[in-house]
């Protein structure tokens, strides 16, 4: 018997697709809503091959009110929503701020309108980001949920902060009818062990690991490491890289918790999703080469504007309250990213 029907907006995207797989494994029915703005219908085939099931799908632009309404009219029995649908490229957000504000904010507004209007669903899990912490001071590393938030450095980051505020105001006004969890992701990497779903960056990858795998396979000549003169042990920036399947599992725990509505916790709770371990860029590149045996040519380049020097998570709140831990060994994570890169290049 199904444990409930979960709407996953952006369910054909990178983290969304992995989350659909984990929700299915945990016994939930899923409705995927996506407009393929940064994904392809093939992802739905990949999910079907992994789960052995074709989940409900609606092609929906969540930032169009009528489309969101149609989604809830078609599925009035949704029990909770996970909201991934959003634009996420930092550089692009600087060039096209209005697109980012409109898309990322309207889609949340229209989802919340439906949830507070007449939906039976009372729970929403939101994709937030560690970007809300900016560069934490040394005394706040590893960064916990109580660390001060910093003004975001890009329109993308600001949409995440604004969306957290919108959620907070909305759950407060809902007087217990709505419960929400904002999950602040650190740096998701890797792919499902089947290599049937993974990250599909458009154009030149901006994120580190897709650039590493594309260099390893020969699409890119060499990786540029953006700066080795930071105040870190090896001079390169430090991040908390979390396996996407571990990240996806945290969403299942969050859904279980929001489904309890007023049973537990505050109306809006925040959780950091990371491993608790910071890795430098050089450690990532060397770790990838060791795990896969593939050489990745690299050079040291100028710093990238806007980069944060070092940030990694204190995930103890998620560990304790959600009963979740990101524990997949890095070797497996790097191998999964490599298998996925090889698989998609065979297809293209
Ligand atoms: C970036 C975004 C962040 C977003 C996150 C999502 C910026 C400033 N921040 O974070 O808002 O939430 O992605 O995953 O873009 N690096 C290289 N060479 C490369 C690519 C990256 O050296 O070709 C380095 C970067 O300088 C950084 C680290 O690798 O130190 C990780 O970079 P990236 O994967 O882009 O993630 P973030 O910068 O943490």
């Amino acid at each position: 018997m199904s444990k409930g029907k979960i709407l996953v907006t952006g369910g054909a995207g990178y983290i969304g697709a992995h989350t659909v797989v984990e929700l299915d494994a945990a016994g939930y029915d899923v409705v995927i809503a996506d407009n393929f703005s940064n994904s392809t219908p093939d992802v739905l085939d990949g999910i079907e091959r992994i789960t052995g099931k074709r989940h409900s799908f609606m092609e929906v632009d969540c930032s169009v009110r009528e489309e969101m309404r149609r989604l809830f009219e078609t599925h009035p029995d949704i029990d909770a929503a996970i909201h991934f649908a959003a634009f996420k490229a930092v550089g692009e957000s600087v060039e096209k701020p209005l697109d980012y504000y409109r898309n990322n904010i309207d889609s949340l507004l229209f989802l919340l309108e439906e949830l507070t209007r007449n939906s039976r669903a009372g729970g929403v899990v939101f994709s937030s980001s560690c970007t809300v912490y900016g560069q934490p001071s040394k005394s706040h590393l590893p960064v916990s949920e109580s660390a001060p938030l910093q003004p975001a450095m890009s329109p993308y980051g600001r949409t995440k902060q604004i969306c957290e505020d919108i959620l907070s105001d909305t759950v407060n006004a809902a007087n217990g009818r709505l419960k929400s969890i904002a999950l602040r992701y650190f740096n998701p990497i890797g792919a499902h062990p089947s290599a049937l779903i993974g990250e599909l960056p458009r154009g030149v990858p901006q994120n580190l690991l897709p650039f590493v795998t594309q260099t390893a396979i020969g699409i890119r000549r060499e990786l540029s490491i953006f700066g080795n003169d930071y105040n870190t042990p090896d001079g390169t920036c430090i991040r908390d890289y979390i396996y996407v399947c571990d990240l996806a599992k945290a969403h299942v725990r969050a859904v279980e918790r929001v489904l309890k509505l007023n049973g537990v916790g505050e109306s809006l709770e925040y959780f950091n999703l990371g491993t608790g371990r910071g890795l430098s860029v050089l450690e990532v590149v060397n770790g990838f080469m060791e795990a896969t045996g593939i050489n990745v040519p690299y050079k040291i380049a100028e710093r990238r504007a806007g980069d944060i020097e070092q940030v990694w998570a204190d995930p103890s709140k998620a560990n304790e309250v959600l009963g979740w831990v990101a524990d997949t060994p890095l070797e497996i994570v790097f191998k999964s990213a490599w298998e996925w890169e090889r698989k998609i290049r065979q297809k293209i």
Side-chain angles (χ1 to χ4, degrees), residues 88 90-91 129-131 154 156 186-188 205-209 211 223-226 237-239 241 281 304-308:
K88 62 170 185 179
V90 175
S129 166
C130 67
T131 195
S154 69
Y156 157 78
F186 284 67
N187 291 55
Q206 303 300 309
N207 292 118
L208 178 60
L209 208 65
F211 206 105
L223 168 75
S224 292
I225 293 184
F226 299 138
C237 292
I238 293 177
R239 297 286 185 277
Y241 296 90
V281 179
R304 179 171 70 178
D307 259 341
I308 280 163

PDB file of all heavy atoms in Angstrom, residues 88 90-91 129-131 154 156 186-188 205-209 211 223-226 237-239 241 281 304-308, ligand 1:
ATOM      1  N   LYS A  88      19.161  27.410 -11.651  1.00  0.00           N
ATOM      2  CA  LYS A  88      20.219  27.270 -10.636  1.00  0.00           C
ATOM      3  C   LYS A  88      21.614  27.713 -11.073  1.00  0.00           C
ATOM      4  O   LYS A  88      22.577  27.479 -10.348  1.00  0.00           O
ATOM      5  CB  LYS A  88      20.271  25.820 -10.161  1.00  0.00           C
ATOM      6  CG  LYS A  88      20.620  24.848 -11.272  1.00  0.00           C
ATOM      7  CD  LYS A  88      20.895  23.453 -10.735  1.00  0.00           C
ATOM      8  CE  LYS A  88      21.362  22.540 -11.829  1.00  0.00           C
ATOM      9  NZ  LYS A  88      21.676  21.202 -11.404  1.00  0.00           N
ATOM     10  N   VAL A  90      24.432  30.166 -11.332  1.00  0.00           N
ATOM     11  CA  VAL A  90      24.775  31.421 -10.662  1.00  0.00           C
ATOM     12  C   VAL A  90      25.133  32.521 -11.675  1.00  0.00           C
ATOM     13  O   VAL A  90      24.606  33.629 -11.624  1.00  0.00           O
ATOM     14  CB  VAL A  90      25.942  31.190  -9.683  1.00  0.00           C
ATOM     15  CG1 VAL A  90      26.404  32.494  -9.072  1.00  0.00           C
ATOM     16  CG2 VAL A  90      25.529  30.210  -8.605  1.00  0.00           C
ATOM     17  N   GLY A  91      26.029  32.190 -12.627  1.00  0.00           N
ATOM     18  CA  GLY A  91      26.478  33.182 -13.607  1.00  0.00           C
ATOM     19  C   GLY A  91      25.313  33.693 -14.446  1.00  0.00           C
ATOM     20  O   GLY A  91      25.178  34.904 -14.675  1.00  0.00           O
ATOM     21  N   SER A 129      19.802  26.178  -0.242  1.00  0.00           N
ATOM     22  CA  SER A 129      21.219  26.043  -0.558  1.00  0.00           C
ATOM     23  C   SER A 129      22.075  26.619   0.555  1.00  0.00           C
ATOM     24  O   SER A 129      21.679  27.586   1.228  1.00  0.00           O
ATOM     25  CB  SER A 129      21.497  26.808  -1.859  1.00  0.00           C
ATOM     26  OG  SER A 129      22.876  26.983  -2.047  1.00  0.00           O
ATOM     27  N   CYS A 130      23.272  26.084   0.681  1.00  0.00           N
ATOM     28  CA  CYS A 130      24.218  26.619   1.664  1.00  0.00           C
ATOM     29  C   CYS A 130      24.671  28.016   1.266  1.00  0.00           C
ATOM     30  O   CYS A 130      25.352  28.695   2.032  1.00  0.00           O
ATOM     31  CB  CYS A 130      25.425  25.705   1.803  1.00  0.00           C
ATOM     32  SG  CYS A 130      26.450  25.636   0.333  1.00  0.00           S
ATOM     33  N   THR A 131      24.283  28.446   0.071  1.00  0.00           N
ATOM     34  CA  THR A 131      24.617  29.798  -0.382  1.00  0.00           C
ATOM     35  C   THR A 131      24.070  30.851   0.592  1.00  0.00           C
ATOM     36  O   THR A 131      24.600  31.956   0.675  1.00  0.00           O
ATOM     37  CB  THR A 131      24.095  30.006  -1.826  1.00  0.00           C
ATOM     38  OG1 THR A 131      24.696  31.152  -2.378  1.00  0.00           O
ATOM     39  CG2 THR A 131      22.600  30.167  -1.904  1.00  0.00           C
ATOM     40  N   SER A 154      24.501  36.547  -5.387  1.00  0.00           N
ATOM     41  CA  SER A 154      23.988  36.503  -6.766  1.00  0.00           C
ATOM     42  C   SER A 154      22.468  36.516  -6.721  1.00  0.00           C
ATOM     43  O   SER A 154      21.862  36.165  -5.702  1.00  0.00           O
ATOM     44  CB  SER A 154      24.446  35.214  -7.448  1.00  0.00           C
ATOM     45  OG  SER A 154      23.790  34.100  -6.857  1.00  0.00           O
ATOM     46  N   TYR A 156      20.598  34.363  -8.069  1.00  0.00           N
ATOM     47  CA  TYR A 156      20.212  32.980  -7.751  1.00  0.00           C
ATOM     48  C   TYR A 156      20.146  32.788  -6.238  1.00  0.00           C
ATOM     49  O   TYR A 156      19.165  32.295  -5.688  1.00  0.00           O
ATOM     50  CB  TYR A 156      21.224  31.996  -8.370  1.00  0.00           C
ATOM     51  CG  TYR A 156      21.245  30.657  -7.664  1.00  0.00           C
ATOM     52  CD1 TYR A 156      20.254  29.716  -7.911  1.00  0.00           C
ATOM     53  CD2 TYR A 156      22.231  30.356  -6.715  1.00  0.00           C
ATOM     54  CE1 TYR A 156      20.245  28.513  -7.230  1.00  0.00           C
ATOM     55  CE2 TYR A 156      22.229  29.163  -6.030  1.00  0.00           C
ATOM     56  CZ  TYR A 156      21.242  28.244  -6.289  1.00  0.00           C
ATOM     57  OH  TYR A 156      21.234  27.060  -5.599  1.00  0.00           O
ATOM     58  N   PHE A 186      24.619  21.350   0.421  1.00  0.00           N
ATOM     59  CA  PHE A 186      25.990  21.728   0.135  1.00  0.00           C
ATOM     60  C   PHE A 186      26.249  21.324  -1.334  1.00  0.00           C
ATOM     61  O   PHE A 186      25.434  21.647  -2.173  1.00  0.00           O
ATOM     62  CB  PHE A 186      26.926  21.177   1.233  1.00  0.00           C
ATOM     63  CG  PHE A 186      26.775  22.049   2.471  1.00  0.00           C
ATOM     64  CD1 PHE A 186      25.583  22.072   3.198  1.00  0.00           C
ATOM     65  CD2 PHE A 186      27.764  22.936   2.843  1.00  0.00           C
ATOM     66  CE1 PHE A 186      25.389  22.946   4.264  1.00  0.00           C
ATOM     67  CE2 PHE A 186      27.588  23.812   3.917  1.00  0.00           C
ATOM     68  CZ  PHE A 186      26.403  23.815   4.615  1.00  0.00           C
ATOM     69  N   ASN A 187      27.313  20.642  -1.694  1.00  0.00           N
ATOM     70  CA  ASN A 187      27.583  20.451  -3.131  1.00  0.00           C
ATOM     71  C   ASN A 187      27.264  19.028  -3.583  1.00  0.00           C
ATOM     72  O   ASN A 187      28.067  18.122  -3.360  1.00  0.00           O
ATOM     73  CB  ASN A 187      29.057  20.765  -3.414  1.00  0.00           C
ATOM     74  CG  ASN A 187      29.366  22.232  -3.252  1.00  0.00           C
ATOM     75  OD1 ASN A 187      29.107  22.814  -2.200  1.00  0.00           O
ATOM     76  ND2 ASN A 187      29.899  22.858  -4.270  1.00  0.00           N
ATOM     77  N   PRO A 188      26.124  18.837  -4.232  1.00  0.00           N
ATOM     78  CA  PRO A 188      25.744  17.482  -4.659  1.00  0.00           C
ATOM     79  C   PRO A 188      26.610  16.999  -5.820  1.00  0.00           C
ATOM     80  O   PRO A 188      26.854  17.750  -6.763  1.00  0.00           O
ATOM     81  CB  PRO A 188      24.288  17.635  -5.129  1.00  0.00           C
ATOM     82  CG  PRO A 188      23.887  19.028  -4.842  1.00  0.00           C
ATOM     83  CD  PRO A 188      25.116  19.834  -4.600  1.00  0.00           C
ATOM     84  N   PRO A 205      30.382  22.911 -18.342  1.00  0.00           N
ATOM     85  CA  PRO A 205      29.971  22.798 -16.938  1.00  0.00           C
ATOM     86  C   PRO A 205      30.589  23.909 -16.082  1.00  0.00           C
ATOM     87  O   PRO A 205      31.755  24.236 -16.248  1.00  0.00           O
ATOM     88  CB  PRO A 205      30.531  21.442 -16.497  1.00  0.00           C
ATOM     89  CG  PRO A 205      30.920  20.728 -17.725  1.00  0.00           C
ATOM     90  CD  PRO A 205      31.167  21.752 -18.783  1.00  0.00           C
ATOM     91  N   GLN A 206      29.793  24.449 -15.190  1.00  0.00           N
ATOM     92  CA  GLN A 206      30.288  25.462 -14.257  1.00  0.00           C
ATOM     93  C   GLN A 206      30.723  24.807 -12.946  1.00  0.00           C
ATOM     94  O   GLN A 206      31.572  25.334 -12.236  1.00  0.00           O
ATOM     95  CB  GLN A 206      29.193  26.496 -13.953  1.00  0.00           C
ATOM     96  CG  GLN A 206      28.643  27.183 -15.195  1.00  0.00           C
ATOM     97  CD  GLN A 206      29.713  27.937 -15.974  1.00  0.00           C
ATOM     98  OE1 GLN A 206      30.444  28.731 -15.416  1.00  0.00           O
ATOM     99  NE2 GLN A 206      29.817  27.669 -17.267  1.00  0.00           N
ATOM    100  N   ASN A 207      30.123  23.678 -12.621  1.00  0.00           N
ATOM    101  CA  ASN A 207      30.433  23.004 -11.356  1.00  0.00           C
ATOM    102  C   ASN A 207      31.638  22.093 -11.523  1.00  0.00           C
ATOM    103  O   ASN A 207      31.951  21.627 -12.619  1.00  0.00           O
ATOM    104  CB  ASN A 207      29.225  22.207 -10.855  1.00  0.00           C
ATOM    105  CG  ASN A 207      28.080  23.124 -10.437  1.00  0.00           C
ATOM    106  OD1 ASN A 207      27.000  23.073 -11.008  1.00  0.00           O
ATOM    107  ND2 ASN A 207      28.319  23.981  -9.466  1.00  0.00           N
ATOM    108  N   LEU A 208      32.307  21.855 -10.419  1.00  0.00           N
ATOM    109  CA  LEU A 208      33.612  21.176 -10.476  1.00  0.00           C
ATOM    110  C   LEU A 208      33.532  19.742 -11.029  1.00  0.00           C
ATOM    111  O   LEU A 208      34.253  19.407 -11.969  1.00  0.00           O
ATOM    112  CB  LEU A 208      34.235  21.172  -9.069  1.00  0.00           C
ATOM    113  CG  LEU A 208      35.575  20.458  -8.950  1.00  0.00           C
ATOM    114  CD1 LEU A 208      36.632  21.095  -9.841  1.00  0.00           C
ATOM    115  CD2 LEU A 208      36.054  20.456  -7.488  1.00  0.00           C
ATOM    116  N   LEU A 209      32.710  18.888 -10.436  1.00  0.00           N
ATOM    117  CA  LEU A 209      32.824  17.476 -10.812  1.00  0.00           C
ATOM    118  C   LEU A 209      32.429  17.196 -12.264  1.00  0.00           C
ATOM    119  O   LEU A 209      33.123  16.415 -12.941  1.00  0.00           O
ATOM    120  CB  LEU A 209      32.077  16.554  -9.836  1.00  0.00           C
ATOM    121  CG  LEU A 209      32.738  15.182  -9.826  1.00  0.00           C
ATOM    122  CD1 LEU A 209      34.150  15.210  -9.290  1.00  0.00           C
ATOM    123  CD2 LEU A 209      31.903  14.166  -9.098  1.00  0.00           C
ATOM    124  N   PHE A 211      32.955  19.097 -14.687  1.00  0.00           N
ATOM    125  CA  PHE A 211      34.113  19.524 -15.482  1.00  0.00           C
ATOM    126  C   PHE A 211      35.218  18.476 -15.388  1.00  0.00           C
ATOM    127  O   PHE A 211      35.892  18.158 -16.371  1.00  0.00           O
ATOM    128  CB  PHE A 211      34.616  20.914 -15.058  1.00  0.00           C
ATOM    129  CG  PHE A 211      35.335  21.623 -16.166  1.00  0.00           C
ATOM    130  CD1 PHE A 211      34.742  22.675 -16.857  1.00  0.00           C
ATOM    131  CD2 PHE A 211      36.607  21.208 -16.563  1.00  0.00           C
ATOM    132  CE1 PHE A 211      35.394  23.300 -17.911  1.00  0.00           C
ATOM    133  CE2 PHE A 211      37.266  21.832 -17.621  1.00  0.00           C
ATOM    134  CZ  PHE A 211      36.650  22.874 -18.289  1.00  0.00           C
ATOM    135  N   LEU A 223      41.332  20.860 -16.880  1.00  0.00           N
ATOM    136  CA  LEU A 223      40.562  21.542 -15.843  1.00  0.00           C
ATOM    137  C   LEU A 223      41.353  22.770 -15.378  1.00  0.00           C
ATOM    138  O   LEU A 223      42.570  22.673 -15.192  1.00  0.00           O
ATOM    139  CB  LEU A 223      40.362  20.577 -14.671  1.00  0.00           C
ATOM    140  CG  LEU A 223      39.837  21.185 -13.366  1.00  0.00           C
ATOM    141  CD1 LEU A 223      38.342  21.491 -13.473  1.00  0.00           C
ATOM    142  CD2 LEU A 223      40.097  20.230 -12.195  1.00  0.00           C
ATOM    143  N   SER A 224      40.658  23.875 -15.198  1.00  0.00           N
ATOM    144  CA  SER A 224      41.293  25.027 -14.539  1.00  0.00           C
ATOM    145  C   SER A 224      40.890  25.003 -13.076  1.00  0.00           C
ATOM    146  O   SER A 224      39.694  25.014 -12.770  1.00  0.00           O
ATOM    147  CB  SER A 224      40.812  26.343 -15.152  1.00  0.00           C
ATOM    148  OG  SER A 224      41.291  26.462 -16.455  1.00  0.00           O
ATOM    149  N   ILE A 225      41.878  24.976 -12.208  1.00  0.00           N
ATOM    150  CA  ILE A 225      41.580  25.093 -10.774  1.00  0.00           C
ATOM    151  C   ILE A 225      41.623  26.575 -10.431  1.00  0.00           C
ATOM    152  O   ILE A 225      42.655  27.235 -10.624  1.00  0.00           O
ATOM    153  CB  ILE A 225      42.592  24.275  -9.942  1.00  0.00           C
ATOM    154  CG1 ILE A 225      42.372  22.786 -10.234  1.00  0.00           C
ATOM    155  CG2 ILE A 225      42.464  24.610  -8.454  1.00  0.00           C
ATOM    156  CD1 ILE A 225      43.223  21.845  -9.425  1.00  0.00           C
ATOM    157  N   PHE A 226      40.481  27.065  -9.972  1.00  0.00           N
ATOM    158  CA  PHE A 226      40.340  28.512  -9.799  1.00  0.00           C
ATOM    159  C   PHE A 226      40.991  28.992  -8.505  1.00  0.00           C
ATOM    160  O   PHE A 226      40.330  29.175  -7.495  1.00  0.00           O
ATOM    161  CB  PHE A 226      38.868  28.910  -9.825  1.00  0.00           C
ATOM    162  CG  PHE A 226      38.164  28.590 -11.122  1.00  0.00           C
ATOM    163  CD1 PHE A 226      36.874  28.062 -11.117  1.00  0.00           C
ATOM    164  CD2 PHE A 226      38.784  28.815 -12.340  1.00  0.00           C
ATOM    165  CE1 PHE A 226      36.220  27.772 -12.313  1.00  0.00           C
ATOM    166  CE2 PHE A 226      38.133  28.528 -13.545  1.00  0.00           C
ATOM    167  CZ  PHE A 226      36.850  28.007 -13.525  1.00  0.00           C
ATOM    168  N   CYS A 237      40.067  26.066  -2.764  1.00  0.00           N
ATOM    169  CA  CYS A 237      38.829  26.258  -1.993  1.00  0.00           C
ATOM    170  C   CYS A 237      38.305  24.942  -1.419  1.00  0.00           C
ATOM    171  O   CYS A 237      38.524  23.865  -1.994  1.00  0.00           O
ATOM    172  CB  CYS A 237      37.738  26.819  -2.895  1.00  0.00           C
ATOM    173  SG  CYS A 237      38.031  28.480  -3.452  1.00  0.00           S
ATOM    174  N   ILE A 238      37.586  25.061  -0.341  1.00  0.00           N
ATOM    175  CA  ILE A 238      37.046  23.876   0.350  1.00  0.00           C
ATOM    176  C   ILE A 238      35.523  23.902   0.313  1.00  0.00           C
ATOM    177  O   ILE A 238      34.887  24.930   0.561  1.00  0.00           O
ATOM    178  CB  ILE A 238      37.565  23.832   1.795  1.00  0.00           C
ATOM    179  CG1 ILE A 238      39.083  23.572   1.773  1.00  0.00           C
ATOM    180  CG2 ILE A 238      36.839  22.764   2.609  1.00  0.00           C
ATOM    181  CD1 ILE A 238      39.744  23.586   3.132  1.00  0.00           C
ATOM    182  N   ARG A 239      34.949  22.731  -0.014  1.00  0.00           N
ATOM    183  CA  ARG A 239      33.485  22.558  -0.057  1.00  0.00           C
ATOM    184  C   ARG A 239      33.138  21.221   0.587  1.00  0.00           C
ATOM    185  O   ARG A 239      33.987  20.348   0.755  1.00  0.00           O
ATOM    186  CB  ARG A 239      32.982  22.506  -1.513  1.00  0.00           C
ATOM    187  CG  ARG A 239      33.208  23.742  -2.335  1.00  0.00           C
ATOM    188  CD  ARG A 239      32.260  24.865  -1.936  1.00  0.00           C
ATOM    189  NE  ARG A 239      32.411  26.018  -2.809  1.00  0.00           N
ATOM    190  CZ  ARG A 239      33.349  26.959  -2.665  1.00  0.00           C
ATOM    191  NH1 ARG A 239      34.231  26.879  -1.675  1.00  0.00           N
ATOM    192  NH2 ARG A 239      33.408  27.984  -3.500  1.00  0.00           N
ATOM    193  N   TYR A 241      31.204  18.079  -0.370  1.00  0.00           N
ATOM    194  CA  TYR A 241      30.618  17.379  -1.516  1.00  0.00           C
ATOM    195  C   TYR A 241      29.796  16.195  -1.014  1.00  0.00           C
ATOM    196  O   TYR A 241      30.326  15.320  -0.331  1.00  0.00           O
ATOM    197  CB  TYR A 241      31.720  16.909  -2.472  1.00  0.00           C
ATOM    198  CG  TYR A 241      32.480  18.073  -3.081  1.00  0.00           C
ATOM    199  CD1 TYR A 241      33.614  18.594  -2.452  1.00  0.00           C
ATOM    200  CD2 TYR A 241      32.024  18.692  -4.240  1.00  0.00           C
ATOM    201  CE1 TYR A 241      34.293  19.685  -2.990  1.00  0.00           C
ATOM    202  CE2 TYR A 241      32.693  19.784  -4.778  1.00  0.00           C
ATOM    203  CZ  TYR A 241      33.832  20.272  -4.155  1.00  0.00           C
ATOM    204  OH  TYR A 241      34.492  21.360  -4.674  1.00  0.00           O
ATOM    205  N   VAL A 281      39.642  21.575  -3.650  1.00  0.00           N
ATOM    206  CA  VAL A 281      39.518  21.246  -5.083  1.00  0.00           C
ATOM    207  C   VAL A 281      40.578  20.209  -5.455  1.00  0.00           C
ATOM    208  O   VAL A 281      40.279  19.218  -6.150  1.00  0.00           O
ATOM    209  CB  VAL A 281      39.675  22.525  -5.955  1.00  0.00           C
ATOM    210  CG1 VAL A 281      39.578  22.172  -7.430  1.00  0.00           C
ATOM    211  CG2 VAL A 281      38.624  23.557  -5.590  1.00  0.00           C
ATOM    212  N   ARG A 304      38.073  32.476  -9.341  1.00  0.00           N
ATOM    213  CA  ARG A 304      36.800  32.791  -9.996  1.00  0.00           C
ATOM    214  C   ARG A 304      36.070  33.845  -9.159  1.00  0.00           C
ATOM    215  O   ARG A 304      35.934  33.681  -7.940  1.00  0.00           O
ATOM    216  CB  ARG A 304      35.947  31.508 -10.095  1.00  0.00           C
ATOM    217  CG  ARG A 304      34.597  31.720 -10.731  1.00  0.00           C
ATOM    218  CD  ARG A 304      33.882  30.404 -11.002  1.00  0.00           C
ATOM    219  NE  ARG A 304      33.441  29.737  -9.776  1.00  0.00           N
ATOM    220  CZ  ARG A 304      32.764  28.593  -9.749  1.00  0.00           C
ATOM    221  NH1 ARG A 304      32.471  27.962 -10.883  1.00  0.00           N
ATOM    222  NH2 ARG A 304      32.394  28.064  -8.613  1.00  0.00           N
ATOM    223  N   ALA A 305      35.590  34.892  -9.830  1.00  0.00           N
ATOM    224  CA  ALA A 305      34.927  35.981  -9.093  1.00  0.00           C
ATOM    225  C   ALA A 305      33.753  35.418  -8.299  1.00  0.00           C
ATOM    226  O   ALA A 305      32.988  34.596  -8.798  1.00  0.00           O
ATOM    227  CB  ALA A 305      34.429  37.036 -10.073  1.00  0.00           C
ATOM    228  N   GLY A 306      33.643  35.870  -7.068  1.00  0.00           N
ATOM    229  CA  GLY A 306      32.478  35.484  -6.257  1.00  0.00           C
ATOM    230  C   GLY A 306      32.638  34.175  -5.509  1.00  0.00           C
ATOM    231  O   GLY A 306      31.744  33.786  -4.759  1.00  0.00           O
ATOM    232  N   ASP A 307      33.747  33.451  -5.716  1.00  0.00           N
ATOM    233  CA  ASP A 307      33.910  32.167  -5.022  1.00  0.00           C
ATOM    234  C   ASP A 307      34.107  32.364  -3.529  1.00  0.00           C
ATOM    235  O   ASP A 307      34.806  33.288  -3.097  1.00  0.00           O
ATOM    236  CB  ASP A 307      35.109  31.393  -5.577  1.00  0.00           C
ATOM    237  CG  ASP A 307      34.685  30.302  -6.542  1.00  0.00           C
ATOM    238  OD1 ASP A 307      33.503  29.912  -6.503  1.00  0.00           O
ATOM    239  OD2 ASP A 307      35.538  29.856  -7.328  1.00  0.00           O
ATOM    240  N   ILE A 308      33.538  31.463  -2.796  1.00  0.00           N
ATOM    241  CA  ILE A 308      33.712  31.447  -1.356  1.00  0.00           C
ATOM    242  C   ILE A 308      34.938  30.607  -1.044  1.00  0.00           C
ATOM    243  O   ILE A 308      35.185  29.601  -1.713  1.00  0.00           O
ATOM    244  CB  ILE A 308      32.413  30.905  -0.734  1.00  0.00           C
ATOM    245  CG1 ILE A 308      31.429  32.062  -0.702  1.00  0.00           C
ATOM    246  CG2 ILE A 308      32.614  30.295   0.632  1.00  0.00           C
ATOM    247  CD1 ILE A 308      30.039  31.680  -0.519  1.00  0.00           C
TER     248      ILE A 308
HETATM  249  C1  LIG B   1      28.205  26.874  -6.921  1.00  0.00           C
HETATM  250  C2  LIG B   1      27.410  28.128  -6.731  1.00  0.00           C
HETATM  251  C3  LIG B   1      26.423  27.905  -5.611  1.00  0.00           C
HETATM  252  C4  LIG B   1      25.540  26.738  -5.924  1.00  0.00           C
HETATM  253  C5  LIG B   1      26.394  25.508  -6.156  1.00  0.00           C
HETATM  254  C6  LIG B   1      25.530  24.369  -6.628  1.00  0.00           C
HETATM  255  C7  LIG B   1      28.971  29.904  -7.419  1.00  0.00           C
HETATM  256  C8  LIG B   1      29.715  31.101  -6.967  1.00  0.00           C
HETATM  257  N1  LIG B   1      28.287  29.252  -6.462  1.00  0.00           N
HETATM  258  O1  LIG B   1      28.897  26.677  -5.743  1.00  0.00           O
HETATM  259  O2  LIG B   1      25.641  29.063  -5.416  1.00  0.00           O
HETATM  260  O3  LIG B   1      24.648  26.516  -4.863  1.00  0.00           O
HETATM  261  O4  LIG B   1      27.343  25.780  -7.162  1.00  0.00           O
HETATM  262  O5  LIG B   1      26.261  23.202  -6.760  1.00  0.00           O
HETATM  263  O6  LIG B   1      28.976  29.556  -8.576  1.00  0.00           O
HETATM  264  N2  LIG B   1      36.141  24.917  -9.505  1.00  0.00           N
HETATM  265  C9  LIG B   1      37.335  24.896 -10.206  1.00  0.00           C
HETATM  266  N3  LIG B   1      37.287  24.687 -11.552  1.00  0.00           N
HETATM  267  C10 LIG B   1      36.121  24.510 -12.219  1.00  0.00           C
HETATM  268  C11 LIG B   1      34.901  24.531 -11.497  1.00  0.00           C
HETATM  269  C12 LIG B   1      34.950  24.756 -10.121  1.00  0.00           C
HETATM  270  O7  LIG B   1      38.407  25.058  -9.634  1.00  0.00           O
HETATM  271  O8  LIG B   1      36.135  24.352 -13.456  1.00  0.00           O
HETATM  272  C13 LIG B   1      36.194  25.128  -8.042  1.00  0.00           C
HETATM  273  C14 LIG B   1      35.468  26.386  -7.601  1.00  0.00           C
HETATM  274  O9  LIG B   1      36.309  27.481  -7.622  1.00  0.00           O
HETATM  275  C15 LIG B   1      35.049  25.975  -6.190  1.00  0.00           C
HETATM  276  C16 LIG B   1      34.836  24.464  -6.263  1.00  0.00           C
HETATM  277  O10 LIG B   1      35.529  24.045  -7.434  1.00  0.00           O
HETATM  278  O11 LIG B   1      36.080  26.239  -5.309  1.00  0.00           O
HETATM  279  C17 LIG B   1      33.394  24.076  -6.380  1.00  0.00           C
HETATM  280  O12 LIG B   1      32.806  24.823  -7.424  1.00  0.00           O
HETATM  281  P1  LIG B   1      31.297  24.590  -7.894  1.00  0.00           P
HETATM  282  O13 LIG B   1      31.093  23.164  -8.228  1.00  0.00           O
HETATM  283  O14 LIG B   1      31.024  25.608  -8.966  1.00  0.00           O
HETATM  284  O15 LIG B   1      30.430  24.875  -6.602  1.00  0.00           O
HETATM  285  P2  LIG B   1      30.351  26.161  -5.640  1.00  0.00           P
HETATM  286  O16 LIG B   1      31.279  27.222  -6.055  1.00  0.00           O
HETATM  287  O17 LIG B   1      30.460  25.673  -4.249  1.00  0.00           O
END
